[in-house]
Structures are given as structure tokens and as C-alpha cells.
Amino acid sequence: MKTIIKYKINGILYGFTLAIFVLTFGASAEAQVIRDHRTKTKTITRDHRTNTPNSSQNALDKNKEFSENAANQQFNKAKFLGDVPSFTRINYTSKIQGISNNKDYWFFTQLTKIKKIPVGYDLTKDANNSSDSRIKTAWMPQFLSNLGYDHFGDPDNFNGYLFVPVQTPEEFRDENDNPHYASSATADIILLNRYGKKRRRYPVIAVFDENTLVFIDCFKLNNRGEGGWVTINPITNELYTSVSTITKDKPIVRYSINWDKLRRNRKLELKKEGPFHINYDDLPNEWPKRGFDSYMQGGDFSDDGVFLYLTNGITKFPNGGWTKSRGLHIIKNIDHKNGIWEKSSTQSGSNGLKYKYSSTRQEPEGLTYFDLTNDNRITDSKLKGQVHAILYTHLPPSQHLIKHFKVFITNIK
């Protein structure tokens, strides 16, 4: 009898000890450190059933913080700091298209190449012949190249991945998207009658491992005009892109990302969620009231998601083109579905935001938001801003610039 009681007592003590162990260590095991969209660390709770972030509570927390920031923050002014590199022909800027960052590295897209360069590296120096082993290069994946894709757009980094839009040339295409080529002007007319005007293959969003630059997967969009640029909203984790011209009738488009499938199966799956409309009521009188003029080139959110920065523009040779509604634009994000136009650059900078370029030979390209104001890795004062935008020069000598801006936001709380 004493033996039985002893075993029962021991069993109860063991069960009690085990319960304490699970409550203590099991709960702490669920709190894991993950990286935010640009590698800042942050502790959140994970759902033990899926090993994915507890999206409901995390989303509520992020949206609450965003709402407070959006209500209290007001754009004040922006200051042009300078160009670095400035009118310099460097290998990583040849046919440059886009720029992004993950707080430790710059990522530059050229037509068919991606360059990864550590923060602190002298951007005026050649990157191909550098002895710095941290510099990496990736080319257009063969899978996409075989399908005719030959143009990377403006990318974005998020959660350890690099998202890159990819397009094809405009060509005569049949119903299966196969290109057909003309051998003479007469043949051009025949192909035009047969297949209609030239068009692109449907663009894709490609995703790479940001550490290794290894291609993971891609997803085909269903609008031929989209895919020139992408950015990820750091609050909703949605991907934003647009067609070439943003108007009231053709707004920016939001796509949700199946993060679980990307992590587990290395498959990229996007779902169109709806538009992001911009209120154009306060546009300057000389602007087209339909919205931004054509040729969207790049976009990126601020780290807190409150402001969206956009670039647009194109080269018109030999007579130049319209520049008043082209350059750098600042949009305030209201609720992830709607935004308000705040400020756009001018050639002279008379309104406090200068983005000067020659429309006969230069073209605005992508941009990135990267707060380097107090970053001790940066020694050149021209880089110590938050917005960094590319200006591409078409005519020889092909000298390209990265324009750097400091943005001043007022907290009205």
C-alpha cells in the first residue's frame, strides 16, 4: 500500500514538474526573434501549429502603430543633398534600372543583372574588380531569359527576399504570346494587321534569396502594363505596383503574398487585393488633372509605411519632353488603400524639392528609402539622407547619378 501511494505521489510530482517546464520553457520557445522587412530584429509570438508569425495580433499591433504615426506625421520639406556617384561611368551603373536595400547592402538592378554592394562601400568606385568578397552579382535567370524576358525593373527587399519585376520587349505577338519578327517595312504592316500593335509578354515578379542572390521563383501578372517597379508595404506586407501611367482610373495595384508557401515550398503566389487610390485634389494647376503623367519608374515606402515615394519620367530625343509632373513624388499613406499627394519635385527646387534632369538625354529610374542620417558607416555627407533616386543618362558618355534627399517630417502630436 505504501509503495502504491509512493508511486502516486511521485507521479503527481512528475506531472506537476512537467507542467511547470512546459509553461516556462514552452512559452518562451514560441517567442522567437525574426527580422523585419529590412533586417531589423524584433521579437514576436509565433503560432506553434504553423511556425509562422501570429499574423492577427502582429497585424493589429502594426496597424495601431501605423494609425498613430499617420495621424501625427506631416510632411514638412525635402532637401536635395547631392549626387553620388555624380556623372561617373561605373560598371554597376551601366543601364541601371532600380535600387533597394536591406539596411546592410545596396541592391542595384541593371537590364539583366543584379549587383549587391555592402553599405559603406565607396559608390564612386568600380564594383566588378573589387577585392571585397561581400559584393555579389546575379544575372537574368535562364528560365526567364529563354522566354524573352530581358528587363529588370525597380526592386524591393522584404523578409530576406529580393522582389524584382521583369518585363520583355514590345513585339508582335500571337495569342500564345510568341513573338514574330519583321524582315522589312512591308512585313511590319503585315504583322500589324495579323497580330495588332506590338505588346509585351505578361510581366513577372521574380523573387531571389537576398543573401545568395539565388533565383527562387516567379509569378506572372495578368496586366501587360504592370511590372516596372515594386515595393512592399511594411505594415500590410502587400506588394504594390502599377501600369506606366497612374491616374484615377488606373491606380496603383495591391497584391497579397502567400508568405507561408514562399517559406515552406519556395513558391511565389500573389493575389490581387485591390487598388491604392491617390487623392489628386491639390495637384499644381499646370499638371494633368488625371493624375501623374506617364512613365512610372520606381517606388518605396518609408520604414513606418506612412509615406510612399515615387519616381517617373522618360527621355524624349531630340526635343525633350514634359518635366513638370515628372521626377520625385511624395504620397502620404492614409489607410493602405488610399493616399494623398503631398509634394513633387521641380527642376529648380523652388518648392524645396529639387530633381533636375535633362529630358533630352536623361531618364529618372528607381528609388529606395534608406535612412542614413546618423549611420556611421557613411562618411560622405551627400548620402546622409533617406531617399535615394537614380537618374540614367542615355546618350554618350553614359554617366549615371544617384540623387540623395533628406526628408523632414513634422510630428504634430
Side-chain angles (χ1 to χ4, degrees):
M1 185 66 177
K2 289 181 178 180
T3 303
I4 294 174
I5 292 172
K6 177 181 178 182
Y7 283 141
K8 285 185 176 180
I9 292 173
N10 287 341
I12 292 171
L13 290 173
Y14 175 78
F16 180 76
T17 303
L18 181 61
I20 294 297
F21 177 86
V22 170
L23 288 173
T24 303
F25 295 99
S28 64
E30 285 187 354
Q32 301 180 29
V33 175
I34 67 167
R35 292 184 179 272
D36 77 358
H37 74 290
R38 288 196 181 130
T39 71
K40 292 178 182 177
T41 56
K42 173 181 180 180
T43 302
I44 66 171
T45 302
R46 285 184 176 267
D47 185 332
H48 68 282
R49 293 164 297 182
T50 61
N51 197 34
T52 57
N54 188 331
S55 57
S56 58
Q57 185 59 49
N58 192 39
L60 287 173
D61 292 343
K62 290 201 299 183
N63 271 302
K64 180 180 179 181
E65 183 179 359
F66 166 80
S67 298
E68 293 174 353
N69 289 336
N72 296 326
Q73 291 185 23
Q74 181 176 336
F75 171 79
N76 185 3
K77 63 179 181 178
K79 179 182 179 182
F80 172 61
L81 300 179
D83 301 317
V84 179
S86 176
F87 293 106
T88 305
R89 189 171 186 176
I90 312 171
N91 53 27
Y92 76 85
T93 66
S94 176
K95 299 180 180 179
I96 192 168
Q97 301 297 313
I99 179 175
S100 65
N101 74 89
N102 69 352
K103 303 302 184 189
D104 294 317
Y105 288 86
W106 299 99
F107 294 79
F108 297 97
T109 51
Q110 298 166 259
L111 278 180
T112 59
K113 186 164 64 174
I114 301 171
K115 205 75 177 181
K116 177 182 177 181
I117 300 176
V119 173
Y121 184 86
D122 187 348
L123 295 180
T124 67
K125 303 297 183 183
D126 184 277
N128 279 355
N129 299 319
S130 171
S131 60
D132 194 328
S133 61
R134 297 172 297 171
I135 296 176
K136 288 183 170 58
T137 304
W139 295 87
M140 180 72 68
Q142 192 63 48
F143 167 73
L144 293 176
S145 181
N146 290 343
L147 293 173
Y149 289 91
D150 66 348
H151 191 293
F152 284 137
D154 187 42
D156 198 13
N157 294 76
F158 203 91
N159 283 345
Y161 300 101
L162 178 68
F163 294 85
V164 186
V166 197
Q167 296 177 322
T168 65
E170 290 185 344
E171 297 170 323
F172 294 111
R173 297 182 181 276
D174 59 28
E175 65 275 8
N176 296 316
D177 255 355
N178 297 315
H180 295 268
Y181 305 102
S183 57
S184 67
T186 304
D188 246 358
I189 296 175
I190 294 174
L191 292 178
L192 178 63
N193 291 331
R194 184 177 299 170
Y195 302 113
K197 67 178 182 179
K198 291 183 178 182
R199 63 185 191 271
R200 301 181 189 275
R201 182 186 288 270
Y202 288 99
V204 302
I205 305 299
V207 61
F208 297 79
D209 183 309
E210 72 172 21
N211 293 318
T212 62
L213 293 187
V214 170
F215 172 65
I216 297 175
D217 195 24
C218 64
F219 183 88
K220 184 169 70 173
L221 303 178
N222 63 4
N223 189 325
R224 295 180 191 273
E226 293 177 1
W229 62 278
V230 297
T231 185
I232 311 293
N233 185 321
I235 308 302
T236 64
N237 297 357
E238 291 180 334
L239 181 146
Y240 288 49
T241 188
S242 76
V243 294
S244 178
T245 302
I246 297 177
T247 67
K248 296 178 181 179
D249 298 325
K250 296 179 180 179
I252 293 172
V253 182
R254 301 177 291 111
Y255 289 88
S256 60
I257 301 171
N258 189 328
W259 291 101
D260 188 61
K261 183 171 287 189
L262 181 56
R263 293 188 188 98
R264 291 176 178 270
N265 304 325
R266 296 173 64 83
K267 293 293 183 182
L268 179 61
E269 182 180 286
L270 305 180
K271 178 184 176 183
K272 184 174 287 189
E273 296 294 343
F276 177 82
H277 288 287
I278 299 174
N279 185 323
Y280 299 104
D281 290 348
D282 294 328
L283 285 180
N285 291 330
E286 65 270 23
W287 276 35
K289 288 305 178 183
R290 63 180 184 173
F292 291 117
D293 205 12
S294 303
Y295 314 112
M296 295 305 304
Q297 299 287 357
D300 202 10
F301 279 98
S302 57
D303 288 341
D304 58 10
V306 176
F307 291 96
L308 173 63
Y309 299 88
L310 301 169
T311 48
N312 73 325
I314 197 170
T315 300
K316 291 287 188 180
F317 183 80
N319 298 320
W322 179 270
T323 59
K324 289 184 179 179
S325 57
R326 298 174 185 172
L328 173 63
H329 312 280
I330 302 174
I331 311 298
K332 187 171 184 180
N333 178 15
I334 302 302
D335 59 4
H336 315 303
K337 299 177 182 179
N338 298 278
I340 297 177
W341 175 86
E342 291 277 353
K343 179 76 73 174
S344 290
S345 61
T346 62
Q347 291 278 44
S348 64
S350 57
N351 65 346
L353 182 54
K354 181 180 179 179
Y355 187 105
K356 184 176 177 58
Y357 75 100
S358 169
S359 59
T360 60
R361 63 187 185 91
Q362 294 179 315
E363 180 176 337
E365 295 289 353
L367 85 162
T368 190
Y369 183 93
F370 190 3
D371 191 352
L372 297 173
T373 307
N374 299 311
D375 198 312
N376 58 16
R377 296 171 296 180
I378 303 299
T379 57
D380 192 329
S381 60
K382 292 180 181 178
L383 273 75
K384 286 186 172 290
Q386 300 100 329
V387 179
H388 315 271
I390 294 170
L391 184 61
Y392 174 78
T393 303
H394 282 274
L395 300 180
S398 297
Q399 300 167 328
H400 315 304
L401 303 84
I402 304 177
K403 308 179 83 64
H404 307 275
F405 301 85
K406 187 171 184 178
V407 179
F408 298 86
I409 305 297
T410 300
N411 195 322
I412 59 178
K413 185 174 180 179

